[in-house]
Amino acid sequence: MEGPPENDVCSVCHDNFNLPCQANCSHWFCGNCIMRVWQHGATLQPCKCPICRRSITLIIPSEASSRYQDDPEVGEVLANVERYNRQFGGGERNLVQRLRDLPFLLRRLAREFTDPQRTLPLVFRARMIFAMILSAIYILSPIDIIPEGILGVVGLLDDVLIGLIFFLHIAAIYRSALLSRYGGGT
């Protein structure tokens, strides 16, 4: 989704979206509304999503929001979102948080790869391709930590784990690309 769903409203102000932003939990808010939620809470820690109560560690403005950067109000909100992402986007995240963010990041990455208007930096693309090649070589090779021929279905466990590690690595690389784009180049 490039923007919030049609016929939907911000869950904070209950009005049409003004400068829509998507949180890492996939929920949409007005940029100003989610910044107010954060500023009225504990500003030294990430705010919680008003809908699902997950910790918000990444806020991504819609593509349309960047077109209005010249407007002083929009510029201020985008600067606050950038500051929020710098402060909380690169922090410690446990495995559960990474697994919960995985669908959000992989959906956005798939859209980015299929949209000719948007491009990832060459460094990020190279790292993704390298991780993909190494994972494919391991999964397709006859050499396994847990051999399928001896242990059957249980032998697939190492292949599944390598696949999961691959997706987590790709999501981490893409998250850092998003942070460099929306977090002020950290």
Side-chain angles (χ1 to χ4, degrees), residues 20-41:
C21 292
Q22 188 176 30
N24 59 302
C25 60
S26 296
H27 292 118
W28 287 90
F29 306 98
C30 296
N32 200 30
C33 290
I34 197 63
M35 289 294 95
R36 277 193 315 229
V37 167
W38 171 55
Q39 291 164 348
H40 289 298

Side-chain angles (χ1 to χ4, degrees), residues 11-121:
S11 64
V12 177
C13 67
H14 302 287
D15 202 355
N16 291 328
F17 289 98
N18 182 14
L19 193 67
C21 292
Q22 188 176 30
N24 59 302
C25 60
S26 296
H27 292 118
W28 287 90
F29 306 98
C30 296
N32 200 30
C33 290
I34 197 63
M35 289 294 95
R36 277 193 315 229
V37 167
W38 171 55
Q39 291 164 348
H40 289 298
T43 57
L44 297 177
Q45 60 188 12
C47 66
K48 299 224 183 272
C49 173
I51 298 171
C52 67
R53 306 304 302 153
R54 276 183 54 197
S55 182
I56 296 176
T57 57
L58 186 62
I59 299 173
I60 304 193
S62 71
E63 294 297 318
S65 302
S66 60
R67 292 184 208 134
Y68 303 105
Q69 278 183 315
D70 297 335
D71 180 6
E73 274 185 43
V74 172
E76 182 180 341
V77 172
L78 290 176
N80 285 335
V81 166
E82 187 177 297
R83 185 172 58 117
Y84 184 92
N85 285 338
R86 262 196 323 267
Q87 190 168 351
F88 303 114
E92 279 294 314
R93 290 176 319 281
N94 60 21
L95 181 60
V96 173
Q97 179 71 32
R98 290 174 193 235
L99 288 172
R100 291 177 91 181
D101 288 350
L102 193 61
F104 167 74
L105 292 169
L106 291 179
R107 272 194 313 269
R108 286 193 66 91
L109 178 64
R111 270 197 325 268
E112 190 136 350
F113 268 127
T114 57
D115 186 356
Q117 301 295 325
R118 294 156 68 180
T119 59
L120 284 170

